[in-house]
């Protein structure tokens, strides 16, 4: 009897050890998850219209809409934005050549219709908010994986889909966030929820992606909502007319095209 | 020739409109109404400016071309001659991957400077209300053909201007009631002088203006080299037999500009050599004198986090082989500093700027706040201060003013 119990105990310990060894051998790390999310297939280029709704604590809304073209050049990206509304910024263009290398600042040019010329602007201010929204340039996807230390916190089912939950702590201690927690869907490698914590470790804002579905062969979100819990302010992004792999010409991402004040 | 030019523009308008693919055709109409009112801060606190303007801009885009028309309707209570309708821009634009072309009435802006004119000399300026206008609102259109050869990093720009357009400089005469009698920005001519009609260059091909610029835009820097065979947009003057003559002269211009981003800074500069520019003499009975000048500007933009923008510039004009009979100084140097902060999610802007002239110790300062009541409706309240007894700013020391501007965009 005793020997049976002993055998059972040895078997349990053996399989536990084997299971632990195997899981540690094949376990995915936080960094690997974030690299997967960063590298997830999203086409060689994208063309979309984006509506940005800014809502203050009283529910008053301000709406911006823009045309966005993006093209990948290896790990680097070129993007051009043309604003369609509101009326006071209609025709404003913004060209960004973004680099994956964290040590290299973006190249940025701004075209203001009133000035009728493009202006070279600093590419280092990634922490400034975009057009009065709750999103910084970094939040909009320009942050490199190498800029943070990532660790897998847990796995969790979020709204019916299995997710990895990854905590990312910036290597730069002066960065505006102390940590970012991301929910990455296992089926699509898409980051569907992110919590941003301020320098004191308090929750600053939450970003949630929704209306997620395969579109033209790529997992795509059509709505993003960012709730700034400190300022009780909200930013809602609605993606319309999303098109992947348009074979966008390189000429669309030239400064000379920006200076024409429109894209066709 | 002028008729031919106008006819060509009309023809191209029609072609662009007809040639567009119906599926890709798009019509955009936008514009604004703004009302600007300024009161002198010194007694008798007169209105120094009071105008309301409506601008409508219409753009019709085809597949590779678009037409653009911009019209102004102005009611000016202080300078009544400024009231009326005017065509700001009207052009046809065609683009391909290799080149683009714009023909018609258009505003052309060169250079990297803010508020100083070094290489920005294609479009003439409207000084009718001088400092009572935003600097970006002072440029006049030219009737021109502009063509650009386009590369990924390099652009070659060629401009032909068959019709000369002078700058608009308001003059009035002591003791004479004319259209600029009430204009606080007008140059005052002595009484008794007979002012001759302006002598504009005759309309012929040999009097056309031509410009070329090659630009590079890349990661490390933007730079351009430019040349312009032109007429001086500002007249020189001399008195002959009691008659004041205003003449326009040709000169050749060569220039460069650059912008270099470095972290939170952007360094920029411009330089220009004006070859054979004419100057009015101190003693106005002497005929204008021709000299070369060297203009230079260095500037820095600083964009620290928190939606701050801080810019500083130093500008110098140096007249080579200077002659003391010239009404301008051999060298004049100015500095400018501007600080701007966007707040409340970019609905409130606080801004201050100062231009300082070293020669006469004079200055011009502006402080203002702009609030976006809604995205479409903005209110601006500000103060303009002119300091000094003489010089480009000091001469307007009676024109220090507080102003209010309302703008509705649609």
């Amino acid at each position: 009897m005793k020997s049976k119990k002993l055998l059972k105990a040895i078997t349990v310990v053996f399989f536990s050890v084997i299971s632990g060894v195997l899981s540690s051998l094949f376990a995915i790390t936080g960094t690997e998850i974030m690299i997967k999310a960063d590298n997830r297939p999203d086409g060689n280029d994208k063309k979309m219209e984006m509506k940005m709704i800014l809502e203050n604590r009283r529910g008053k809304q301000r709406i911006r809409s823009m045309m966005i073209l993006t093209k990948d050049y290896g790990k680097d990206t070129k993007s051009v934005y043309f604003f369609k509304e509101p009326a006071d910024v209609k025709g404003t263009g913004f060209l960004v050549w973004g680099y994956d290398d964290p040590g290299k600042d973006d190249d940025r040019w701004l075209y203001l219709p009133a000035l009728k010329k493009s202006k070279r602007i600093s590419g280092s201010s990634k922490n400034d908010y975009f057009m009065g929204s709750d999103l910084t340039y970094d939040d909009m996807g320009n942050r490199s994986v190498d800029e943070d230390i990532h660790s897998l916190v847990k796995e969790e089912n979020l709204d019916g889909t299995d997710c990895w939950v990854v905590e990312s702590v910036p290597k730069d201690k002066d960065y505006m966030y102390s940590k970012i927690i991301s929910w990455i869907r296992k089926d699509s490698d898409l980051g569907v929820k992110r919590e941003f914590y301020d320098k004191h470790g308090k929750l600053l804002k939450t970003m949630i992606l929704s209306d997620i579905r395969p579109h033209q062969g790529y997992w795509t979100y059509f709505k993003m909502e960012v709730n700034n819990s400190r300022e009780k302010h909200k930013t809602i992004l609605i993606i319309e007319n999303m098109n992947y792999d348009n074979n966008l010409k390189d000429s669309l991402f030239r400064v000379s095209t920006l200076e024409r004040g429109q894209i066709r | 020739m002028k008729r031919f030019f106008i006819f060509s523009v009309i023809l191209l308008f029609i072609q662009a409109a007809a040639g567009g693919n119906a599926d890709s055709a798009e019509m955009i109409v936008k514009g604004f109404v703004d009302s600007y009112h300024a009161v002198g801060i010194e007694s008798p606190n007169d209105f120094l400016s009071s105008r309301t303007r409506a601008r409508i801009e219409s753009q019709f885009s085809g597949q590779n071309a678009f037409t653009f028309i911009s019209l102004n309707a102005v009611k000016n209570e202080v300078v009544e001659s400024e009231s009326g309708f005017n065509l700001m821009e009207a052009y046809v634009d065609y683009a391909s991957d290799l080149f683009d072309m714009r023909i018609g009435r258009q505003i052309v802006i060169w250079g990297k400077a803010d508020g100083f004119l070094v290489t920005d000399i294609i479009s003439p300026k409207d000084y009718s209300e001088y400092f009572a206008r935003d600097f970006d609102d002072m440029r006049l259109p030219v009737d021109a053909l502009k063509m650009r050869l386009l590369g990924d990093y390099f652009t070659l720009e060629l401009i032909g201007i068959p019709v000369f357009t002078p700058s608009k400089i308001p003059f009035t005469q002591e003791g004479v009631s004319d259209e600029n009698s009430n204009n606080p920005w007008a140059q005052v001519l002595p009484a008794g002088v007979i002012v001759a009609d302006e002598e504009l260059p005759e309309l012929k091909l040999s009097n056309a203006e031509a410009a070329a610029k090659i630009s590079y835009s890349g990661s490390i820097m933007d730079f351009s080299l430019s040349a312009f065979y032109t007429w001086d947009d500002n007249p020189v003057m001399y008195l002959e037999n009691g008659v004041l003559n205003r003449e326009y002269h040709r000169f050749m211009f060569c220039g460069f500009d650059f912008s270099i981003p470095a972290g939170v800074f952007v360094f920029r500069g411009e330089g220009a050599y004006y070859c054979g520019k004419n100057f009015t003499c101190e003693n106005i009975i002497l005929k204008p004198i021709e000299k070369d000048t060297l203009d230079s500007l260095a500037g820095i933009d600083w964009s620290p986090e928190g939606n701050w923008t801080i810019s500083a510039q130093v500008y110098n004009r140096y007249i080579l082989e200077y002659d003391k009979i010239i009404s301008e100084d051999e060298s004049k140097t100015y500095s400018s500093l501007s600080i701007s902060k966007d707040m409340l999610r970019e609905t409130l802007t606080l801004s201050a700027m100062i231009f300082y002239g070293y020669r006469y110790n004079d200055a011009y300062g502006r402080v203002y706040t702009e609030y976006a009541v809604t995205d479409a409706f903005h209110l601006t309240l500000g103060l303009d201060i002119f300091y000094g007894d003489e010089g480009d700013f000091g001469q307007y020391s009676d024109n220090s003013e507080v102003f209010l501007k309302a703008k509705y965009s649609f």
Side-chain angles (χ1 to χ4, degrees):
Chain A
M1 194 69 183
K2 263 187 178 179
S3 61
K4 260 190 178 178
K5 274 187 178 174
L6 185 64
L7 185 64
K8 194 175 175 184
I10 289 168
T11 307
V12 168
V13 169
F14 175 77
F15 280 108
S16 298
V17 169
I18 291 295
S19 156
V21 169
L22 285 177
S23 65
S24 66
L25 276 175
F26 296 103
I28 191 163
T29 67
T31 303
E32 286 165 347
I33 294 165
M34 297 312 280
I35 290 172
K36 268 164 72 75
D38 193 43
N39 291 339
R40 74 183 179 84
D42 64 348
N44 293 322
D45 66 56
K46 290 191 284 281
K47 183 176 182 180
M48 70 179 110
E49 285 173 37
M50 186 167 83
K51 185 173 277 186
M52 180 185 276
I53 302 163
L54 314 182
E55 187 177 302
N56 69 12
R57 63 180 71 203
R58 293 185 298 277
K60 187 183 170 190
Q61 292 189 338
R62 295 157 64 205
I63 298 173
R64 282 101 181 76
S65 69
M66 64 203 87
M67 161 83 83
I68 303 174
L69 307 180
T70 301
K71 186 170 182 176
D72 293 340
Y73 292 79
K75 299 280 278 180
D76 301 332
T77 308
K78 291 184 180 180
S79 305
V80 63
Y81 302 67
F82 271 100
F83 290 86
K84 301 170 94 173
E85 63 174 336
D88 62 330
V89 296
K90 193 187 285 182
T92 298
F94 185 44
L95 175 65
V96 184
W97 296 353
Y99 301 100
D100 188 57
D101 178 0
K104 189 171 181 183
D105 288 336
D106 291 350
D107 297 319
R108 295 183 193 168
W109 293 265
L110 183 67
Y111 173 82
L112 297 170
L115 293 178
K116 292 188 184 293
K117 68 175 180 180
S118 63
K119 188 176 172 70
R120 187 78 186 235
I121 56 175
S122 165
S124 68
S125 51
K126 295 179 177 180
N127 299 340
D128 277 341
Y129 286 95
F130 182 73
M131 295 291 289
S133 72
D134 295 284
L135 291 157
T136 65
Y137 292 98
D138 261 8
D139 298 341
M140 293 177 76
N142 295 336
R143 190 163 177 83
S144 172
V145 174
D146 295 339
E147 291 180 81
D148 304 311
I149 297 165
H150 310 278
S151 48
L152 176 60
V153 177
K154 59 182 175 181
E155 296 179 17
E156 189 175 273
N157 188 284
L158 183 71
D159 298 330
T161 54
D162 290 332
C163 295
W164 290 295
V165 182
V166 178
E167 183 181 273
S168 305
V169 177
K171 292 175 183 171
D172 177 6
K173 298 297 172 201
D174 294 328
Y175 190 53
M176 63 187 298
Y177 306 126
S178 58
K179 66 177 177 184
I180 301 163
I181 298 178
S182 306
W183 278 254
I184 311 292
R185 266 174 66 153
K186 291 183 177 179
D187 59 356
S188 58
D189 299 331
L190 189 64
V192 288
K193 180 180 174 185
R194 290 162 88 188
E195 290 178 346
F196 300 83
Y197 292 82
D198 67 13
K199 285 182 176 175
H200 306 291
K202 285 187 178 172
L203 180 64
L204 178 65
K205 61 190 180 187
T206 306
M207 174 195 286
I208 294 173
L209 273 52
S210 58
D211 193 5
I212 298 164
R213 58 183 188 270
H215 177 72
Q216 298 174 356
Y218 302 103
W219 282 95
T220 307
Y221 71 89
F222 289 87
K223 187 177 178 188
M224 176 195 286
E225 189 167 319
V226 185
N227 276 291
N228 188 319
S229 41
R230 182 187 294 166
E231 296 183 26
K232 309 287 182 208
H233 192 274
K234 190 190 288 184
T235 299
I236 301 161
L237 301 185
I238 311 280
I239 308 294
E240 294 168 338
N241 299 323
M242 169 65 96
N243 282 298
Y244 292 100
D245 296 326
N246 306 274
N247 286 321
L248 295 177
K249 295 174 182 172
D250 292 338
S251 60
L252 292 166
F253 304 97
R254 292 173 182 161
V255 175
S256 56
T257 302
L258 184 76
E259 287 173 336
R260 290 170 53 74
Q262 66 159 290
I263 42 174
R264 278 189 292 270
Chain B
M1 190 167 163
K2 191 172 185 177
R3 279 183 188 169
F4 172 76
F5 186 79
I6 293 166
F7 176 72
S8 303
V9 171
I10 292 168
L11 188 68
L12 279 162
F13 261 79
I14 295 164
Q15 283 181 337
N21 181 331
D23 292 336
S24 60
E26 187 184 15
M27 179 87 174
I28 298 171
V29 177
K30 63 172 190 163
F32 60 82
V33 178
D34 68 358
S35 197
Y36 175 93
H37 307 276
V39 175
I41 59 173
E42 289 179 15
S43 182
N45 307 110
D46 287 338
F47 271 99
L48 299 180
S49 188
S50 180
R51 65 172 186 268
T52 299
R53 171 178 59 165
R55 175 174 294 174
I56 186 160
E57 295 176 350
S58 166
Q59 183 171 310
F60 182 77
S61 304
Q63 199 163 23
N64 292 314
F66 71 90
T67 60
F68 179 81
I69 296 175
S70 169
L71 289 162
N72 270 351
V74 182
K75 176 63 181 166
N76 195 314
E77 302 289 351
V78 173
V79 190
E80 287 185 14
S81 58
E82 288 294 300
S83 296
F85 296 89
N86 61 65
L87 179 67
M88 279 300 288
E89 291 185 274
Y91 56 76
V92 179
D93 189 292
Y94 174 84
S96 70
D97 285 346
L98 293 176
F99 75 94
D100 64 13
M101 196 169 73
R102 185 169 286 183
I103 183 166
R105 180 161 295 184
Q106 55 192 292
I107 291 171
V108 181
I109 302 175
W110 279 5
K112 311 290 185 199
D114 291 331
F116 292 107
L117 305 173
V118 181
T119 62
D120 181 19
I121 63 164
I122 302 286
S123 277
K125 310 298 175 292
D126 184 350
Y127 299 106
S128 301
E129 292 184 281
Y130 211 178
F131 290 94
R133 287 191 183 183
D134 290 337
F135 185 78
D136 298 320
D137 224 13
M138 286 173 62
R139 294 179 181 91
L140 291 168
V142 287
D143 297 326
L145 167 64
K146 185 173 86 170
M147 189 175 170
R148 298 189 307 169
L149 300 175
L150 310 168
D152 283 340
Y153 298 100
F154 284 94
T155 304
L156 175 64
E157 182 175 326
L158 303 169
I159 302 172
I161 307 172
V163 186
F164 172 68
T165 307
S167 287
K168 211 166 163 183
I169 302 170
F171 285 103
T172 188
Q173 204 164 5
E174 271 180 3
V176 176
S177 179
D178 58 26
E179 61 183 23
N180 281 310
S181 301
N182 297 327
N183 188 346
W185 308 100
Q187 302 291 313
V188 182
L189 301 172
V193 171
I194 300 164
V195 181
D197 288 339
E198 283 186 320
E199 285 183 35
L200 293 176
E202 200 180 332
L203 200 61
K204 56 183 182 182
L205 190 61
S206 59
N207 280 341
E209 297 171 279
K213 182 171 80 161
I214 185 159
S215 311
Y216 168 83
S217 298
S219 257
I220 296 170
M221 70 185 303
D222 294 359
F223 79 83
S224 71
L225 299 171
S226 52
F228 189 23
Y229 183 51
T230 182
W231 292 89
D232 198 333
D233 294 333
N234 303 321
V236 286
M237 294 184 283
Y238 65 96
L239 199 61
E240 192 173 54
N241 301 324
V243 177
L244 186 74
N245 297 289
R246 287 175 290 169
E247 287 181 353
Y248 293 90
H249 288 268
R250 270 206 181 275
F251 69 87
M252 182 71 196
F253 156 96
C254 297
F256 71 89
D257 63 56
F258 67 86
S259 281
I260 303 173
V264 292
F265 300 101
V266 175
F267 297 94
R268 53 192 167 82
E270 291 190 40
Y273 185 75
Y274 290 68
C275 182
K277 184 175 166 59
N278 276 258
F279 290 90
T280 300
C281 290
E282 185 70 35
N283 184 346
I284 203 157
I285 63 167
L286 297 175
K287 289 237 176 169
I289 188 168
E290 191 178 295
K291 293 290 175 188
D292 297 346
T293 77
L294 205 53
D295 286 30
S296 53
L297 176 135
I300 182 170
D301 299 328
W302 178 30
S303 308
E305 283 179 13
N307 286 322
W308 286 93
T309 308
I310 298 161
S311 295
Q313 300 178 115
V314 180
Y315 163 84
N316 175 263
R317 162 166 284 186
Y318 185 75
I319 302 173
L320 301 168
E321 296 177 7
Y322 184 72
D323 192 322
K324 286 180 180 172
I325 64 171
I326 294 173
S327 62
E328 283 189 27
D329 293 310
E330 180 178 15
S331 173
K332 55 181 184 182
T333 305
Y334 301 94
S335 286
S336 74
L337 175 68
S338 73
I339 301 172
S340 182
K341 162 85 173 159
D342 283 330
M343 303 166 74
L344 305 178
R345 294 183 179 270
E346 301 185 13
T347 56
L348 182 70
T349 302
L350 302 177
S351 191
M353 64 178 185
I354 185 164
F355 287 75
Y356 176 72
Y358 290 86
R359 172 69 177 85
Y360 297 102
N361 190 30
D362 60 332
Y364 161 61
R366 169 174 280 192
V367 182
Y368 72 89
T369 178
E370 181 176 352
Y371 179 63
V373 181
T374 67
D375 282 328
F377 184 57
H378 290 212
L379 282 175
T380 306
L381 179 66
L383 177 69
D384 284 337
I385 297 286
F386 295 90
Y387 170 81
D389 299 321
E390 52 184 330
D392 286 345
F393 310 121
Q395 64 177 308
Y396 298 114
S397 57
D398 294 338
N399 289 3
S400 293
E401 61 187 18
V402 60
F403 65 88
L404 177 66
K405 180 181 171 184
K407 184 175 181 180
Y408 177 77
S409 304
F410 58 89

